[in-house]
Amino acid sequence: QVQLVESGGGLVQPGGSLRLTCAASGITVSLYNMGWYRQAPGKQRELVAQITSGDSTNYADSVSDRFTISRDNAKNTVYLQMNSLKPEDTAVYYCYAVRPRSRWSTYDYWGQGTQVTVSS
């Protein structure tokens, strides 16, 4: 019974901030590579930010100077702090967890998504 539940999305004006939360159950997030993806209408899903089990991070170029991904292992949660939001950040944001299962496959899980709308 693995569950990733995103929260914190909503409507925000350009230049504003939001913090997304991914609350995990059934897995221990410190043992997984955790990521945030987003999908805008008519576009493919894209990686926004990732934090590995070794705590290295990487970001899409479009957000690298504005977004920060982090873990709170005690709370078994992952966050995405989003600052200086732009209309092009509007999308459904998804939490993702993955770790190797074998040489051929992985354990991977997705949340249901949370809508972020940046508009004046």
Side-chain angles (χ1 to χ4, degrees):
Q1 188 179 1
V2 176
Q3 190 169 229
L4 304 176
V5 179
E6 302 97 332
S7 61
L11 175 64
V12 65
Q13 293 185 351
S17 297
L18 287 172
R19 188 176 76 160
L20 305 184
T21 298
C22 175
S25 60
I27 64 167
T28 299
V29 301
S30 64
L31 303 179
Y32 284 73
N33 294 336
M34 304 294 298
W36 289 94
Y37 286 73
R38 68 186 182 189
Q39 188 165 26
K43 298 184 178 180
Q44 66 182 21
R45 191 171 297 187
E46 65 174 343
L47 176 68
V48 177
Q50 184 180 40
I51 183 165
T52 70
S53 59
D55 288 333
S56 64
T57 59
N58 61 87
Y59 300 89
D61 289 344
S62 60
V63 309
S64 62
D65 58 344
R66 299 182 294 122
F67 291 9
T68 303
I69 188 171
S70 61
R71 303 177 191 262
D72 186 332
N73 291 334
K75 296 181 179 179
N76 208 39
T77 57
V78 178
Y79 303 96
L80 183 67
Q81 179 66 46
M82 305 187 294
N83 298 324
S84 301
L85 283 160
K86 304 174 181 179
E88 52 263 44
D89 296 318
T90 296
V92 177
Y93 284 71
Y94 297 90
C95 183
Y96 178 63
V98 61
R99 71 176 177 91
R101 179 169 63 179
S102 71
R103 63 193 298 185
W104 306 114
S105 64
T106 61
Y107 295 102
D108 64 313
Y109 307 98
W110 291 90
Q112 83 291 338
T114 186
Q115 177 71 47
V116 172
T117 302
V118 185
S119 176
S120 58

